[in-house]
Amino acid sequence: MRWVLVVREAAATAWASKVPSALVGLLVAVMCAATIATVGRTAAAEQQLTDRLDEAGSRVLAVADARGEGLLPATVVDQASTLSTVERGVGTLIPVDVVNGVIGQGGTRVPAWGVHGDLTAVADLQAGRWPGQGEAIVTDTAMTQLGMADPFGWVALASTSEVDDWSVVGTFTPRDPFGDYAAGVLYVAPADQPVDTLQVVLTDASAAQVTQASVLALVDPPTPDAVTITSPVSLADLQAQVTGDLAAFGATLLLGVLGGGALLVAIVVLADVLVRRKDLGRRRALGATRATIITLVIGRTLAPAILGAALGVAAGLALAARLGQDNIPPADFTTGTATLALIAATTAAIPPALYAATRDPVRILRTP
Amino acid sequence: MLALEGVSFAYARGAEELFGGLSHVFTPGVVTAVTGPSGRGKSTLLYVLGLMLTPSQGRVLLGGEAVSAAPDAVRARVRAHRIGFVFQDAALDPTRTVLDSVIEPALYAGWRLGDARARGSGLLEQMGVSARAGHRPGEISGGQAQRVAVCRALVTDPVVVLADEPTGNLDRDNAAGVLAALSAAAGGADQAAESADKGAGSGPDRGTSEGRTVVIATHDPFVLDHADEVLAL
């Protein structure tokens, strides 16, 4: 039998058997809608959790020179920034207070950080240019507090014992996760001065463990308490644990919905096969092979199942949307659900199809 | 040529054997009526000839080939291409149109839909039921349904037509019509399909110059009177 005619025959018999076809379509639709509305919510929650845990702020590894022993020279910062698991990294000095140099010690104090490394790792330039040695950039907030109308002028240390100043050459906004710098000034740290803190943003939170080990190898602290480490390792472990739990819960729920649905589809198809046994016996007598019978039974299950999957996905998405935009599962989950539901329905139709194909046509035809 | 060679059949191991090693050659172009008392296996013999039952002993030969021992898929293909069936109750698909029912074996035989439809329409025309081509079986009479069943049996231009009590549910006039159609089918020149063939572009042309083998299982004296040959079981 030609394939195109098998498809036509399957569609025609599915249309002719309206009740079982409607039941199969309804079951597949319910499978899809229920999966999207329940498992889909879990998938959406898992996705949101992953997104949140993957934000830059959750991927920062900070190593501080606890006793100021000069353990973090510029070379360590440069080497750490080039690790394959590091997205970007900088070394910073302990912040100092600065005032508008024109106003002097009576001016409003704002914090200033000395930064070693690529400043683009921590800031986006808004106006002016990037600073060089002895120069600084400010945020709009700091500029207002310093009493500057434009990002020009200079800032000086708010200290009576030390004297240092930096020319202001531009404005910036801090990049995530360096929001603390929004309150102040960044200046280029002297290249020969070890930094107090090394901060690196990881490419992935799951790389925290290996990156931490690599960075500590570079720093090589004389004693474990010589450095203070703020690490996302435990956060990464938690992320893996929570997403794993959510995935396991979702998979169990998915298997339950699809398994239960498939069982019901199998019962409907078997009932249809039993009701239409004369039809199948006649087909065998007229020359249909067993393979043709199997294909027809599966085909006439698949036809309404495809329609049911489309309706079920639409209904599931509508239901999820009503429960809140955050509950709409990712597109690949929706497509995967429809595909799995169709596979489940097709698989469920195989045993009844085999049963139909192996019945004795004579016995069937001679049964009153 | 269809032949039985020492055929016996039992529905189950140890059950009563039917036919007792029957051998018979069915002559093409001849209508053979298989008759006998109830329970002697008239219908069973038809199903053995139609390769739906496998003899417990002996074999069925079609064109000199022992087809009864072939694998199921091969026997199914032989049924689709070379054997036509007429059942007692017509056994048309109640959910499909008359024309769809007629062309069913042609689809299993791998014909193109257009060719099958042309052939089926021609046969319905020949049998005088073309006006019912678009109707469902429930909308036509018993006599018309059985003539449609004959059309279905002839649609692939088979070399063998097997009919199981084809007149069992019909009145005399309708029975005569169906028997005439079967006799015509045995006639060799493919009278029933001749006009249809002109419209059917492709499809197996088996060349029925020496006629078809038509075997009718019956206990109806009217059929026995019209048969060319009677095989009593």
Side-chain angles (χ1 to χ4, degrees):
Chain A
M1 193 171 181
R2 292 168 186 270
W3 274 105
V4 66
L5 293 179
V6 171
V7 173
R8 174 187 174 274
E9 195 68 10
T13 50
W15 178 249
S17 314
K18 289 186 177 59
V19 172
S21 293
L23 282 173
V24 168
L26 181 67
L27 284 168
V28 174
V30 169
M31 281 157 74
C32 288
T35 302
I36 289 170
T38 56
V39 186
R41 289 190 69 184
T42 311
E46 185 184 332
Q47 185 67 49
Q48 286 164 17
L49 182 68
T50 303
D51 290 346
R52 279 177 197 153
L53 291 174
D54 262 347
E55 283 172 2
S58 307
R59 292 186 277 123
V60 176
L61 170 68
V63 179
D65 185 351
R67 295 194 288 265
E69 295 174 314
L71 296 172
L72 299 171
T75 50
V76 168
V77 177
D78 293 339
Q79 287 170 349
S81 301
T82 57
L83 290 173
S84 62
T85 52
V86 171
E87 183 183 294
R88 51 201 156 102
V90 289
T92 54
L93 301 174
I94 291 172
V96 293
D97 282 342
V98 295
V99 294
N100 188 335
V102 175
I103 298 171
Q105 294 302 318
T108 306
R109 298 177 174 209
V110 296
W113 288 268
V115 178
H116 175 81
D118 186 2
L119 274 172
T120 60
V122 294
D124 288 323
L125 191 68
Q126 298 300 309
R129 61 174 172 80
W130 289 108
Q133 280 294 336
E135 296 177 337
I137 49 177
V138 298
T139 60
D140 286 340
T141 308
M143 205 165 67
T144 304
Q145 288 182 317
L146 289 166
M148 290 178 170
D150 296 300
F152 304 115
W154 55 285
V155 290
L157 267 179
S159 167
T160 52
S161 58
E162 290 181 69
V163 178
D164 207 351
D165 55 52
W166 298 270
S167 301
V168 175
V169 297
T171 59
F172 76 95
T173 52
R175 284 182 65 186
D176 191 36
F178 300 100
D180 289 352
Y181 301 157
V185 175
L186 296 180
Y187 64 91
V188 177
D192 57 349
Q193 183 180 352
V195 296
D196 297 296
T197 306
L198 165 66
Q199 295 184 88
V200 293
V201 180
L202 310 178
T203 52
D204 192 292
S206 62
Q209 187 82 55
V210 64
T211 310
Q212 183 176 318
S214 301
V215 169
L216 285 178
L218 290 172
V219 175
D220 193 19
T223 55
D225 61 349
V227 291
T228 307
I229 301 166
T230 309
S231 166
V233 168
S234 54
L235 194 62
D237 288 345
L238 181 66
Q239 176 186 2
Q241 221 167 24
V242 172
T243 52
D245 288 350
L246 282 173
F249 174 71
T252 308
L253 205 57
L254 182 66
L255 277 177
V257 172
L258 291 182
L263 182 66
L264 291 174
V265 168
I267 291 170
V268 170
V269 177
L270 180 62
D272 184 38
V273 161
L274 291 172
V275 167
R276 293 173 65 90
R277 64 186 187 281
K278 285 237 171 201
D279 169 68
L280 297 168
R282 185 199 70 243
R283 288 177 188 275
R284 288 280 286 142
L286 295 179
T289 61
R290 284 183 173 143
T292 301
I293 296 294
I294 290 169
T295 311
L296 282 177
V297 172
I298 291 175
R300 79 186 191 204
T301 305
L302 196 55
I306 290 172
L307 193 63
L311 293 174
V313 164
L317 288 176
L319 190 61
R322 277 181 72 91
L323 295 171
Q325 287 297 316
D326 286 349
N327 292 313
I328 296 177
D332 55 351
F333 177 85
T334 309
T335 313
T337 298
T339 307
L340 280 176
L342 290 177
I343 290 172
T346 305
T347 308
I350 290 174
L354 289 172
Y355 176 82
T358 51
R359 292 307 89 191
D360 177 3
V362 173
R363 202 174 290 269
I364 293 170
L365 288 168
R366 300 190 80 174
T367 303
Chain B
M1 189 184 296
L2 179 67
L4 293 168
E5 208 174 77
V7 165
S8 297
F9 177 82
Y11 273 101
R13 195 184 293 267
E16 181 195 0
E17 288 242 324
L18 299 170
F19 317 136
L22 178 65
S23 294
H24 186 82
V25 175
F26 295 90
T27 312
V30 169
V31 176
T32 303
V34 178
T35 190
S38 189
R40 282 293 180 86
K42 299 186 292 292
S43 296
T44 300
L45 182 63
L46 228 57
Y47 290 128
V48 170
L49 288 169
L51 310 179
M52 284 192 282
L53 294 175
T54 307
S56 46
Q57 284 179 40
R59 54 190 191 160
V60 178
L61 302 170
L62 184 58
E65 192 183 345
V67 285
S68 56
D72 182 80
V74 174
R75 282 183 283 139
R77 273 198 291 277
V78 170
R79 282 200 296 276
H81 288 271
R82 303 171 72 183
I83 299 175
F85 270 99
V86 181
F87 304 101
Q88 182 174 359
D89 62 353
L92 304 176
D93 187 341
T95 65
R96 311 293 291 277
T97 66
V98 161
L99 181 58
D100 280 342
S101 285
V102 169
I103 67 171
E104 197 179 337
L107 302 185
Y108 301 138
W111 286 34
R112 288 194 176 85
L113 185 61
D115 295 340
R117 281 182 174 276
R119 167 81 171 165
S121 298
L123 286 168
L124 289 172
E125 179 81 36
Q126 184 81 14
M127 295 288 177
V129 281
S130 59
R132 301 292 188 174
H135 287 66
R136 310 263 171 201
E139 298 165 349
I140 61 176
S141 71
Q144 287 172 325
Q146 204 57 298
R147 275 185 277 162
V148 170
V150 173
C151 291
R152 182 178 61 190
L154 297 175
V155 73
T156 56
D157 196 10
V159 293
V160 174
V161 174
L162 305 171
D164 186 12
E165 303 278 11
T167 60
N169 297 334
L170 303 180
D171 59 34
R172 272 294 160 259
D173 288 345
N174 277 312
V178 169
L179 279 179
L182 289 172
S183 295
D190 196 8
Q191 297 164 29
E194 203 169 40
S195 60
D197 271 349
K198 292 172 186 166
S202 68
D205 181 5
R206 236 174 285 290
T208 50
S209 57
E210 52 177 3
R212 289 190 182 90
T213 299
V214 175
V215 184
I216 304 174
T218 185
H219 61 269
D220 184 349
F222 181 71
V223 178
L224 295 174
D225 285 347
H226 285 75
D228 301 317
E229 178 187 56
V230 173
L231 174 63
L233 297 178

